[in-house]
Amino acid sequence: MTERTQAATIAVQPLGDAPAVTLAADELCRYLNRMLPPGERAVRATGDLPADARVLRLGTFEALDQAGAPHAPWPAVADVRMDDAVAIAVEGGAGYVGGSNPRSVLLGAYRLLREQGCAWVRPGPAGERLASCAIAGLGAEVSEAASYRHRAICIEGAVSYDNVASIIDWAPKVGMNGYFTQFRESYIFFERWCAHRNNPLKAAEPFSVERAREYMNGIVSEVTRRGLLYHPVGHGWTCDPLGMAGLGWDAEAPTLSPETTSLLAEVNGVRGLWHGVPLNTNLCYSNPAVREMVVDSMVEYLAEHPEVDLLHFWLADGSNNQCECPACRDTRPADYYVMMLNALDRALAARGIDTRIVFLVYVDLLWPPERERIANPERFVLMFAPITRSYRETFATAADASQPLPPYERNRLTFPSDPSQNVAFLRAWQETFGGDSFDFDYHLWRGHYMDPGHLDIARVLGEDIGSLAEIGLNGYVSCQVQRAFFPSGLPMHTMAARLWDRDADLGALEAHVMREAYGADAPEAVAYLRAVTEAFRELEPLLGGIGDRAALPPLERLTAALEGACAPIARNLQHEDSCVAQSWLYLDHHRRLLGALAAVLEARARGDERAAADAWERAEQHIQANEDALQPVFDVWGYLETMRRRLGYSGPQR
């Protein structure tokens, strides 16, 4: 190797054969070769290298130690398998990228690229903004551990396979470390897309459980080759073991044998499917055979799926649907739940399976057990899921929640909206369980549609994540539509950044994210989005059908913001950076969509519900006609489903 070649080449050397480390080397070479000037390149190191070659080593801290790489003390982690830390020492293209585990090495590779000025504004190649650099200028010094252990995205909404593969690819680029596929096959989420529910302009495509399983195989491969923590299932353990597939929330009419019916929860004197939905049907948990059947099903699943890192064991979805039979009614569901958790731990230990189990604090299970206690906390992770909470306030106001819980009244429960009330339930559970835990929350499931500028929801999400440590939680799994980048990805980037560094400055983060998305004219985009967010705070009551002419002034401000955005949008649609141009194109679509929604709200403000309904029909048609352009960043099914409920309208369903 000549001196000239050495100066023009980075030899990227992965240490070990872990798939995530190999991928880290491949990704660094791929991106660097698009960033370096002509005559310079990055190659995978092979064979012996000269002592003076520019070598960039990638490996775990342990592998770097074994290779004799000189280094400062590695950032500490509590659990090498679960916790992420990165250490980067690169100068002039030579040095190392280290991580606490193979996944962290991949995170470190992307972090090195971000330190050079690269950004992944949105999932997919069209969302990339790459910086130019020469080998002599390639460098970074980083030594950090993530603030939180759990930093994952959960599938929701309506998705194609490519949508899911894209968000999995994007997640580690911004520091996320896990992915959750709900239910055994995630069938319902793919079926919604293939059936084109909520869009009659598209013909339904055939879809099957077998095809969903093929998708799942591909998704698991994408997750595991990145070393991401893999979470599956959740709901379904109360129906799948009985031969009723937990595919989604659609009502069914299966013929049940008397034997099967006898295992279901008795509610209002009747045993049967809860509103016809197997996934929402609880069981008669006082029956030892029921508990054993559920536990055996999970043990067999894990024996067949060694790739699972955290298996979610939840009871049925829905609420106020617990068994009222004489044997069940005097014991809280949480007590029976803990009985099954302990039995599951014993059964897994007997099989030599060390997979961690996630249990759910949610609706009826917000009330903790009265008598039972988890025997082996190291096996389990508490998942706090405050689905009924408001996203107007944050956990920052609830860190000292100490209010008493309302009494547990079987199947007559109401659930809190105030974050501090929700945290009071968490505190009660924490008195019985001191192990690992995280927040499973829904900011980007439907809540972000109530803030079309995304500035309020990004702030609430950022403040919530910053406060998780104060309420005793070690991370966040986002139950969300997979395409939440319309009009911008600010909430997604806020989530990722604050999960890595809980003290990241929200104002600086907003400015950075918007600059990457919109370029030099980002302040004009932010001004538009801020005006939209502020106007919608006052307009949201109109979604419920309240006729109030006092809403006309904020409607006028919204209309002015829509008109004011026209000039900067037109100026940037042909931006030399295609990623920036695409951001402004999405903003133009956003402006048009909000204009259609403003017509609905203005009619309601004037008390003309017929005109409002006509305007909404036009808005739906606009959204449906533009789905192909919007679908990489916007879940049309999720938006229409949410807005119809809020507006009180029905729409086409398949």
Side-chain angles (χ1 to χ4, degrees):
M1 184 178 290
T2 67
E3 183 176 351
R4 181 178 179 277
T5 304
Q6 292 167 21
T9 303
I10 299 174
V12 179
Q13 182 181 46
L15 303 178
D17 57 1
V21 176
T22 300
L23 179 61
D26 291 341
E27 287 287 83
L28 265 185
C29 289
R30 182 169 72 91
Y31 281 114
L32 287 174
N33 282 324
R34 294 168 60 191
M35 297 161 60
L36 295 171
E40 296 188 350
R41 62 185 184 136
V43 299
R44 283 282 299 275
T46 57
D48 296 331
L49 296 168
D52 58 352
R54 292 173 184 265
V55 180
L56 179 53
R57 293 183 173 89
L58 308 180
T60 63
F61 298 154
E62 180 182 11
L64 286 166
D65 282 337
Q66 292 172 353
H71 60 83
W74 301 124
V77 296
D79 184 323
V80 169
R81 173 186 166 198
M82 301 289 287
D83 295 328
D84 294 305
V86 300
I88 303 171
V90 177
E91 183 176 0
Y96 62 79
V97 174
S100 50
N101 52 58
R103 171 183 65 251
S104 297
V105 179
L106 179 63
L107 303 185
Y110 290 130
R111 176 64 177 273
L112 174 61
L113 294 171
R114 296 207 310 272
E115 291 288 320
Q116 311 315 303
C118 297
W120 288 273
V121 173
R122 296 173 290 273
E128 297 176 346
R129 292 194 71 188
L130 303 185
S132 297
C133 71
I135 288 176
L138 179 62
E141 289 283 341
V142 176
S143 181
E144 295 177 358
S147 291
Y148 295 111
R149 170 176 295 171
H150 302 284
R151 309 184 311 280
I153 294 168
C154 173
I155 193 172
E156 252 294 351
V159 292
S160 69
Y161 177 84
D162 288 343
N163 293 149
V164 178
S166 290
I167 198 70
I168 292 170
D169 175 72
W170 180 85
K173 291 173 177 173
V174 294
M176 301 290 280
N177 75 343
Y179 194 77
F180 179 12
T181 56
Q182 287 192 84
F183 321 142
R184 292 191 183 219
E185 295 91 5
S186 294
Y187 171 88
I188 185 63
F189 312 111
F190 297 114
E191 188 275 339
R192 287 169 179 161
W193 170 263
C194 290
H196 297 295
R197 299 195 192 194
N198 288 347
N199 192 347
L201 302 182
K202 288 182 171 291
E205 305 166 26
F207 192 70
S208 65
V209 173
E210 290 71 26
R211 189 173 170 195
R213 289 172 180 155
E214 291 174 6
Y215 283 4
M216 285 292 289
N217 290 336
I219 288 166
V220 170
S221 176
E222 295 296 333
V223 169
T224 55
R225 81 186 187 104
R226 290 169 173 83
L228 300 178
L229 294 171
Y230 177 46
H231 305 235
V233 191
H235 297 305
W237 299 115
T238 58
C239 56
D240 283 306
L242 280 71
M244 299 183 296
L247 299 179
W249 295 273
D250 293 335
E252 302 176 17
T255 300
L256 303 180
S257 68
E259 180 182 2
T260 297
T261 301
S262 71
L263 306 178
L264 306 181
E266 177 185 313
V267 184
N268 296 324
V270 176
R271 293 188 190 271
L273 293 181
W274 182 249
H275 300 307
V277 181
L279 202 71
N280 289 359
T281 302
N282 273 303
L283 304 179
C284 185
Y285 299 120
S286 63
N287 184 336
V290 164
R291 300 197 301 271
E292 182 178 1
M293 174 188 64
V294 171
V295 168
D296 288 348
S297 179
M298 285 184 282
V299 173
E300 292 308 311
Y301 179 89
L302 284 176
E304 296 169 4
H305 294 276
E307 71 278 6
V308 173
D309 295 294
L310 297 113
L311 180 68
H312 288 239
F313 168 30
W314 307 349
L315 301 187
D317 205 0
S319 59
N320 289 319
N321 53 359
Q322 296 290 339
C323 188
E324 298 169 343
C325 78
C328 284
R329 63 190 176 201
D330 293 329
T331 301
R332 284 186 183 180
D335 283 280
Y336 287 126
Y337 193 27
V338 172
M339 288 181 193
M340 287 186 280
L341 291 172
N342 285 332
L344 176 59
D345 174 52
R346 293 190 297 270
L348 292 176
R351 297 279 290 267
I353 299 172
D354 65 357
T355 309
R356 298 187 187 186
I357 305 299
V358 179
F359 69 95
L360 175 63
V361 175
Y362 171 81
V363 292
D364 303 54
L365 291 172
L366 285 169
W367 280 261
E370 293 183 296
R371 296 182 295 275
E372 300 294 326
R373 295 294 181 267
I374 289 175
N376 178 20
E378 293 300 313
R379 166 79 70 177
F380 296 100
V381 182
L382 180 153
M383 190 182 94
F384 175 54
I387 194 170
T388 60
R389 63 164 289 196
S390 165
Y391 294 102
R392 293 293 188 191
E393 300 175 75
T394 74
F395 287 143
T397 64
D400 297 322
S402 58
Q403 55 194 284
L405 302 188
Y408 178 80
E409 299 180 78
R410 184 177 296 267
N411 294 345
R412 291 169 178 80
L413 302 172
T414 57
F415 306 104
S417 61
D418 182 81
S420 63
Q421 292 176 319
N422 276 280
V423 172
F425 282 94
L426 173 63
R427 296 286 193 217
W429 263 99
Q430 288 169 335
E431 291 176 3
T432 76
F433 177 79
D436 195 9
S437 61
F438 61 81
D439 179 31
F440 184 81
D441 226 322
Y442 307 84
H443 300 75
L444 303 178
W445 177 47
R446 293 178 178 165
H448 63 305
Y449 295 134
M450 298 302 103
D451 173 23
H454 280 184
L455 299 186
D456 276 352
I457 197 67
R459 176 190 56 80
V460 169
L461 177 54
E463 291 185 6
D464 276 344
I465 290 173
S467 302
L468 292 177
E470 275 70 31
I471 60 174
L473 297 174
N474 194 10
Y476 178 92
V477 175
S478 181
C479 184
Q480 62 164 86
V481 294
Q482 305 298 276
R483 293 163 291 149
F485 294 83
F486 181 74
S488 78
L490 179 61
M492 294 292 290
H493 286 278
T494 299
M495 171 178 68
R498 275 230 152 174
L499 283 169
W500 185 268
D501 176 6
R502 62 185 291 253
D503 297 318
D505 183 88
L506 293 177
L509 180 61
E510 177 187 297
H512 175 75
V513 170
M514 293 306 193
R515 185 170 59 252
E516 295 292 354
Y518 298 106
D521 284 344
E524 293 184 78
V526 173
Y528 161 74
L529 294 172
R530 181 157 286 117
V532 166
T533 284
E534 291 174 354
F536 214 77
R537 287 184 205 138
E538 300 177 62
L539 294 171
E540 189 177 345
L542 288 178
L543 296 177
I546 301 170
D548 185 357
R549 297 181 72 86
L552 292 176
L555 270 169
E556 291 173 359
R557 294 198 299 275
L558 175 59
T559 300
L562 300 179
E563 293 173 353
C566 292
I569 288 172
R571 195 165 61 244
N572 284 282
L573 287 176
Q574 301 302 320
H575 196 285
E576 61 181 7
D577 186 315
S578 61
C579 179
V580 172
Q582 189 68 37
S583 297
W584 286 98
L585 179 60
Y586 286 138
L587 208 64
D588 191 39
H589 280 290
H590 184 262
R591 179 184 65 82
R592 295 173 188 275
L593 186 156
L594 275 191
L597 182 59
V600 179
L601 300 181
E602 182 176 2
R604 283 201 162 173
R606 299 183 185 280
D608 190 341
E609 183 54 37
R610 178 164 187 158
D614 289 343
W616 175 248
E617 184 176 355
R618 291 192 296 274
E620 282 206 7
Q621 291 170 351
H622 171 81
I623 294 166
Q624 292 160 345
N626 286 279
E627 181 169 15
D628 287 344
L630 295 175
Q631 74 85 14
V633 293
F634 185 53
D635 189 322
V636 166
W637 175 87
Y639 180 78
L640 293 180
E641 190 79 4
T642 301
M643 297 305 291
R644 284 175 184 152
R645 292 185 185 188
R646 293 301 304 270
L647 289 163
Y649 299 142
S650 60
Q653 295 286 312
R654 291 195 185 98

